[in-house]
Amino acid sequence: MQHDAHSHHHRHQGPTGHAGHENHAGHTGHEGHHGAPHGDRHTPGKASWAMAAKATLHCLTGCAIGEVLGMVIGTAFGWGNVQTMILAIILAFFFGYALTLRGILAAGVDFKAAFKVALAADTLSIAVMELIDNGVIALWPGAMDAHLSEPVFWIVLAIALAAAFVITTPVNKWMIGRGKGHAVVHQYHH
C-alpha cells in the first residue's frame, strides 16, 4: 500500500496524540512506544486499578476453586499437609488457566494458541497468589492442622485469599501496563 493511499487517516487524532496510526503496523514512523505497533499492544502505563482488580479477581476465582478442591480431596484421602498443599496448588493453576482458556476459546481462538495466551496471561499472577495464599496458611498458627469442619480453617483461608488479592493486584497492574498478563487476554474480549 502506498503512503498517499492512507494519508487521509492523518486528520484523526488517536488517544496517544498520533494521527491515525493504529492500523499501520510495519510502516516507518507508525510505531508506538518502544517500537511496538500501536495495534499490537496496550500503551505502557495505561492500566487502571479497576482493570488490574478484575484480572486479579479472575485469577483468584480459579485459585480458590483449586485450593478448596485440593484440600477437600487431600482431607478425604487422609493425606498429610504437604501432599494436600501440592495438590491444592496444582489445582489452583489448573482452574486459573481453565477460566482464562474458556473465555479465549469462546472468542474462536484454537486451543493451542489459547493455551499459550493463558500461560502468558496467568502464570505470574497465579504464582504470586499461590505463594502469598499458601504462605499465610503455612505460617498461621494452627491453620495447617485445622479441619474443613472447623471455622478457623475457613477464616484463615479467607484471610489468605484476601492477602493474595491485595498483593497480586499491583503485580497485575504492572503487567497490564506493559502490555502483558491480562492485557493479552483483553484483546480477545472485543
Side-chain angles (χ1 to χ4, degrees):
M1 174 184 266
Q2 294 185 9
H3 192 33
D4 60 319
H6 63 268
S7 63
H8 68 277
H9 291 290
H10 292 273
R11 290 183 299 228
H12 304 290
Q13 285 290 86
T16 60
H18 294 91
H21 293 171
E22 288 77 17
N23 295 320
H24 301 290
H27 293 280
T28 304
H30 295 283
E31 291 83 25
H33 297 283
H34 308 291
H38 285 291
D40 292 349
R41 56 176 280 174
H42 288 272
T43 304
K46 193 175 178 180
S48 68
W49 283 106
M51 185 185 296
K54 185 176 178 182
T56 305
L57 188 59
H58 179 89
C59 285
L60 184 70
T61 302
C63 288
I65 292 168
E67 290 278 333
V68 172
L69 185 58
M71 291 177 196
V72 167
I73 292 170
T75 301
F77 285 114
W79 293 354
N81 289 337
V82 173
Q83 296 90 341
T84 301
M85 190 175 279
I86 290 170
L87 177 63
I89 291 168
I90 290 169
L91 290 175
F93 273 92
F94 174 80
F95 283 100
Y97 290 139
L99 289 178
T100 298
L101 271 173
R102 186 188 72 183
I104 299 169
L105 291 171
V109 178
D110 68 276
F111 183 81
K112 185 177 178 181
F115 187 71
K116 287 179 182 179
V117 169
L119 286 177
D122 289 339
T123 301
L124 181 60
S125 179
I126 295 171
V128 170
M129 197 166 287
E130 286 302 295
L131 179 68
I132 302 304
D133 174 33
N134 286 289
V136 169
I137 292 170
L139 296 174
W140 195 284
M144 292 294 288
D145 297 321
H147 295 280
L148 296 173
S149 60
E150 297 176 39
V152 70
F153 170 84
W154 297 102
I155 292 168
V156 173
L157 180 61
I159 292 168
L161 291 172
F165 176 82
V166 168
I167 293 169
T168 307
T169 299
V171 172
N172 280 327
K173 185 176 187 310
W174 177 79
M175 288 176 58
I176 293 167
R178 279 146 189 80
K180 305 209 181 298
H182 272 260
V184 179
V185 175
H186 189 67
Q187 69 183 330
Y188 295 104
H189 296 291
H190 292 300

PDB file of all heavy atoms in Angstrom, residues 121-136:
ATOM      1  N   ALA A 121      -0.676 -15.054  30.231  1.00  0.00           N
ATOM      2  CA  ALA A 121      -1.508 -14.126  30.999  1.00  0.00           C
ATOM      3  C   ALA A 121      -1.530 -14.427  32.486  1.00  0.00           C
ATOM      4  O   ALA A 121      -1.540 -13.508  33.304  1.00  0.00           O
ATOM      5  CB  ALA A 121      -2.933 -14.143  30.454  1.00  0.00           C
ATOM      6  N   ASP A 122      -1.532 -15.698  32.856  1.00  0.00           N
ATOM      7  CA  ASP A 122      -1.840 -16.059  34.236  1.00  0.00           C
ATOM      8  C   ASP A 122      -0.696 -16.611  35.078  1.00  0.00           C
ATOM      9  O   ASP A 122      -0.810 -16.643  36.298  1.00  0.00           O
ATOM     10  CB  ASP A 122      -2.975 -17.086  34.258  1.00  0.00           C
ATOM     11  CG  ASP A 122      -4.307 -16.493  33.871  1.00  0.00           C
ATOM     12  OD1 ASP A 122      -4.456 -15.270  33.971  1.00  0.00           O
ATOM     13  OD2 ASP A 122      -5.198 -17.261  33.486  1.00  0.00           O
ATOM     14  N   THR A 123       0.377 -17.050  34.473  1.00  0.00           N
ATOM     15  CA  THR A 123       1.404 -17.755  35.241  1.00  0.00           C
ATOM     16  C   THR A 123       1.961 -16.929  36.399  1.00  0.00           C
ATOM     17  O   THR A 123       1.964 -17.384  37.549  1.00  0.00           O
ATOM     18  CB  THR A 123       2.542 -18.245  34.325  1.00  0.00           C
ATOM     19  OG1 THR A 123       1.973 -19.129  33.343  1.00  0.00           O
ATOM     20  CG2 THR A 123       3.599 -18.986  35.110  1.00  0.00           C
ATOM     21  N   LEU A 124       2.412 -15.718  36.141  1.00  0.00           N
ATOM     22  CA  LEU A 124       2.979 -14.899  37.220  1.00  0.00           C
ATOM     23  C   LEU A 124       1.918 -14.553  38.254  1.00  0.00           C
ATOM     24  O   LEU A 124       2.162 -14.632  39.459  1.00  0.00           O
ATOM     25  CB  LEU A 124       3.622 -13.625  36.660  1.00  0.00           C
ATOM     26  CG  LEU A 124       4.267 -12.712  37.707  1.00  0.00           C
ATOM     27  CD1 LEU A 124       5.384 -13.439  38.458  1.00  0.00           C
ATOM     28  CD2 LEU A 124       4.798 -11.448  37.059  1.00  0.00           C
ATOM     29  N   SER A 125       0.741 -14.200  37.800  1.00  0.00           N
ATOM     30  CA  SER A 125      -0.342 -13.834  38.704  1.00  0.00           C
ATOM     31  C   SER A 125      -0.699 -14.989  39.636  1.00  0.00           C
ATOM     32  O   SER A 125      -0.796 -14.813  40.856  1.00  0.00           O
ATOM     33  CB  SER A 125      -1.571 -13.410  37.887  1.00  0.00           C
ATOM     34  OG  SER A 125      -2.638 -13.069  38.732  1.00  0.00           O
ATOM     35  N   ILE A 126      -0.876 -16.180  39.077  1.00  0.00           N
ATOM     36  CA  ILE A 126      -1.229 -17.336  39.899  1.00  0.00           C
ATOM     37  C   ILE A 126      -0.079 -17.709  40.824  1.00  0.00           C
ATOM     38  O   ILE A 126      -0.290 -18.034  41.995  1.00  0.00           O
ATOM     39  CB  ILE A 126      -1.643 -18.541  39.029  1.00  0.00           C
ATOM     40  CG1 ILE A 126      -2.930 -18.232  38.257  1.00  0.00           C
ATOM     41  CG2 ILE A 126      -1.841 -19.795  39.885  1.00  0.00           C
ATOM     42  CD1 ILE A 126      -3.301 -19.281  37.215  1.00  0.00           C
ATOM     43  N   ALA A 127       1.157 -17.630  40.332  1.00  0.00           N
ATOM     44  CA  ALA A 127       2.312 -17.979  41.158  1.00  0.00           C
ATOM     45  C   ALA A 127       2.418 -17.059  42.379  1.00  0.00           C
ATOM     46  O   ALA A 127       2.626 -17.529  43.511  1.00  0.00           O
ATOM     47  CB  ALA A 127       3.591 -17.917  40.329  1.00  0.00           C
ATOM     48  N   VAL A 128       2.253 -15.753  42.168  1.00  0.00           N
ATOM     49  CA  VAL A 128       2.300 -14.805  43.288  1.00  0.00           C
ATOM     50  C   VAL A 128       1.148 -15.083  44.247  1.00  0.00           C
ATOM     51  O   VAL A 128       1.328 -15.124  45.469  1.00  0.00           O
ATOM     52  CB  VAL A 128       2.258 -13.338  42.779  1.00  0.00           C
ATOM     53  CG1 VAL A 128       2.061 -12.355  43.935  1.00  0.00           C
ATOM     54  CG2 VAL A 128       3.520 -13.014  42.006  1.00  0.00           C
ATOM     55  N   MET A 129      -0.019 -15.312  43.682  1.00  0.00           N
ATOM     56  CA  MET A 129      -1.194 -15.569  44.508  1.00  0.00           C
ATOM     57  C   MET A 129      -1.009 -16.823  45.361  1.00  0.00           C
ATOM     58  O   MET A 129      -1.309 -16.820  46.562  1.00  0.00           O
ATOM     59  CB  MET A 129      -2.414 -15.712  43.603  1.00  0.00           C
ATOM     60  CG  MET A 129      -3.720 -15.574  44.316  1.00  0.00           C
ATOM     61  SD  MET A 129      -5.053 -15.340  43.157  1.00  0.00           S
ATOM     62  CE  MET A 129      -4.743 -13.665  42.623  1.00  0.00           C
ATOM     63  N   GLU A 130      -0.493 -17.868  44.762  1.00  0.00           N
ATOM     64  CA  GLU A 130      -0.284 -19.120  45.492  1.00  0.00           C
ATOM     65  C   GLU A 130       0.800 -18.982  46.562  1.00  0.00           C
ATOM     66  O   GLU A 130       0.685 -19.540  47.645  1.00  0.00           O
ATOM     67  CB  GLU A 130       0.056 -20.258  44.522  1.00  0.00           C
ATOM     68  CG  GLU A 130      -1.138 -20.736  43.730  1.00  0.00           C
ATOM     69  CD  GLU A 130      -2.254 -21.203  44.639  1.00  0.00           C
ATOM     70  OE1 GLU A 130      -2.072 -22.217  45.367  1.00  0.00           O
ATOM     71  OE2 GLU A 130      -3.319 -20.563  44.649  1.00  0.00           O
ATOM     72  N   LEU A 131       1.840 -18.238  46.249  1.00  0.00           N
ATOM     73  CA  LEU A 131       2.903 -18.008  47.226  1.00  0.00           C
ATOM     74  C   LEU A 131       2.357 -17.292  48.461  1.00  0.00           C
ATOM     75  O   LEU A 131       2.607 -17.715  49.598  1.00  0.00           O
ATOM     76  CB  LEU A 131       4.027 -17.184  46.594  1.00  0.00           C
ATOM     77  CG  LEU A 131       5.203 -16.836  47.495  1.00  0.00           C
ATOM     78  CD1 LEU A 131       5.993 -18.096  47.840  1.00  0.00           C
ATOM     79  CD2 LEU A 131       6.104 -15.817  46.826  1.00  0.00           C
ATOM     80  N   ILE A 132       1.580 -16.250  48.237  1.00  0.00           N
ATOM     81  CA  ILE A 132       1.012 -15.483  49.354  1.00  0.00           C
ATOM     82  C   ILE A 132      -0.027 -16.314  50.100  1.00  0.00           C
ATOM     83  O   ILE A 132       0.018 -16.439  51.329  1.00  0.00           O
ATOM     84  CB  ILE A 132       0.372 -14.161  48.851  1.00  0.00           C
ATOM     85  CG1 ILE A 132       1.405 -13.295  48.119  1.00  0.00           C
ATOM     86  CG2 ILE A 132      -0.290 -13.401  49.998  1.00  0.00           C
ATOM     87  CD1 ILE A 132       2.631 -12.963  48.928  1.00  0.00           C
ATOM     88  N   ASP A 133      -0.944 -16.897  49.366  1.00  0.00           N
ATOM     89  CA  ASP A 133      -2.035 -17.680  49.953  1.00  0.00           C
ATOM     90  C   ASP A 133      -1.490 -18.818  50.816  1.00  0.00           C
ATOM     91  O   ASP A 133      -1.833 -18.940  51.993  1.00  0.00           O
ATOM     92  CB  ASP A 133      -2.920 -18.205  48.818  1.00  0.00           C
ATOM     93  CG  ASP A 133      -3.994 -19.154  49.281  1.00  0.00           C
ATOM     94  OD1 ASP A 133      -4.496 -18.985  50.401  1.00  0.00           O
ATOM     95  OD2 ASP A 133      -4.341 -20.069  48.508  1.00  0.00           O
ATOM     96  N   ASN A 134      -0.624 -19.629  50.238  1.00  0.00           N
ATOM     97  CA  ASN A 134      -0.098 -20.773  50.977  1.00  0.00           C
ATOM     98  C   ASN A 134       0.877 -20.346  52.071  1.00  0.00           C
ATOM     99  O   ASN A 134       0.975 -21.014  53.100  1.00  0.00           O
ATOM    100  CB  ASN A 134       0.550 -21.776  50.014  1.00  0.00           C
ATOM    101  CG  ASN A 134      -0.507 -22.526  49.239  1.00  0.00           C
ATOM    102  OD1 ASN A 134      -1.209 -23.360  49.794  1.00  0.00           O
ATOM    103  ND2 ASN A 134      -0.651 -22.211  47.971  1.00  0.00           N
ATOM    104  N   GLY A 135       1.569 -19.237  51.859  1.00  0.00           N
ATOM    105  CA  GLY A 135       2.445 -18.707  52.905  1.00  0.00           C
ATOM    106  C   GLY A 135       1.676 -18.314  54.141  1.00  0.00           C
ATOM    107  O   GLY A 135       2.082 -18.622  55.270  1.00  0.00           O
ATOM    108  N   VAL A 136       0.557 -17.631  53.939  1.00  0.00           N
ATOM    109  CA  VAL A 136      -0.285 -17.223  55.077  1.00  0.00           C
ATOM    110  C   VAL A 136      -0.801 -18.460  55.816  1.00  0.00           C
ATOM    111  O   VAL A 136      -0.732 -18.544  57.046  1.00  0.00           O
ATOM    112  CB  VAL A 136      -1.457 -16.326  54.617  1.00  0.00           C
ATOM    113  CG1 VAL A 136      -2.483 -16.128  55.733  1.00  0.00           C
ATOM    114  CG2 VAL A 136      -0.937 -14.983  54.116  1.00  0.00           C
TER     115      VAL A 136
END
